[in-house]
Amino acid sequence: MNSKNFTSRTSSGLSQQLKIVGCIFVLITAIEIINLLTGRALNHFGNIPRYIPGLIGVLTGPFLHGSLSHYLSNIIPLCVLSFLMLQYGNKRFFGVTFFCIILTGLLVWLFGRSASHIGASSVIYSYFGFLLLAGFLSRKFKLILISLLVAFFYGGLIFGVLPARTFVSWEGHLFGFISGLIAARLWAKNVP
């Protein structure tokens, strides 16, 4: 492979990764604007534990936020960690994301407090758990470096799995983190 072909393939990969992150940003922001303009009407679609109609929240809860500050506190880490997740490949990124949303949502639905659990932080914690462990399991220098950087810059997230504030879904954080670790064990090896 000549260097020109390698360079164009690398920049194409980066361009595609940035487009995916941009789409995530636009999607979450559009939902936030609609939710804001409707007086948070969409929050009825949150994950409500042990309530059969609340099961829809397994899929919809991570896309909703309780306030503008809630959205703002999640959107940047979500985009940064999404970009780092994409270093494992697009297919793995989407597979791990879907797996973690479903597993986290079901665990919250089964074991969470009786409340409406919403917010992208459950996905953020899934990515956090995956990225912490996956680099070491992959044994690839670039991915180990990502694990170390995530530990350094986002290591404080670990305290979010503790029941500190009543209005925060620490269950979403805890089960998201566990889901990410499980996903790392399942899919971190054999990274192309």
Side-chain angles (χ1 to χ4, degrees), residues 64-134:
L64 305 170
H65 292 90
S67 66
L68 186 59
S69 64
H70 186 204
Y71 157 81
L72 291 172
S73 68
N74 280 338
I75 194 65
I76 300 301
L78 179 65
C79 290
V80 170
L81 294 176
S82 293
F83 177 76
L84 295 175
M85 286 289 297
L86 283 162
Q87 305 315 300
Y88 286 84
N90 296 357
K91 185 176 177 183
R92 199 163 303 214
F93 166 76
F94 287 111
V96 167
T97 299
F98 182 73
F99 172 83
C100 288
I101 286 174
I102 298 298
L103 182 58
T104 301
L106 289 174
L107 289 171
V108 168
W109 191 84
L110 288 169
F111 303 112
R113 287 169 293 155
S114 184
S116 182
H117 296 260
I118 56 174
S121 57
S122 60
V123 178
I124 291 167
Y125 273 83
S126 295
Y127 291 168
F128 174 60
F130 182 90
L131 290 167
L132 277 181
L133 182 58

Side-chain angles (χ1 to χ4, degrees), residues 4 8 19-20 23 32 40 61 64 69 92-94 99 104 108 114 116 126 135 137 141 143 162 174 182:
K4 182 179 178 185
S8 65
K19 283 179 186 174
I20 292 170
C23 287
E32 173 59 21
R40 301 282 162 202
L64 305 170
S69 64
R92 199 163 303 214
F93 166 76
F94 287 111
F99 172 83
T104 301
V108 168
S114 184
S116 182
S126 295
L137 295 176
F141 177 76
L143 301 178
L162 302 173
L174 174 63
I182 292 170

Side-chain angles (χ1 to χ4, degrees), residues 20-43:
I20 292 170
V21 172
C23 287
I24 292 167
F25 177 84
V26 168
L27 174 66
I28 299 294
T29 302
I31 292 170
E32 173 59 21
I33 291 168
I34 293 166
N35 207 10
L36 183 65
L37 295 176
T38 59
R40 301 282 162 202
L42 297 179
N43 288 354

Side-chain angles (χ1 to χ4, degrees), residues 70 113 117 121 160 162-173:
H70 186 204
R113 287 169 293 155
H117 296 260
S121 57
L162 302 173
R165 294 178 280 181
T166 56
F167 60 90
V168 173
S169 177
W170 62 270
E171 299 96 326
H173 297 175

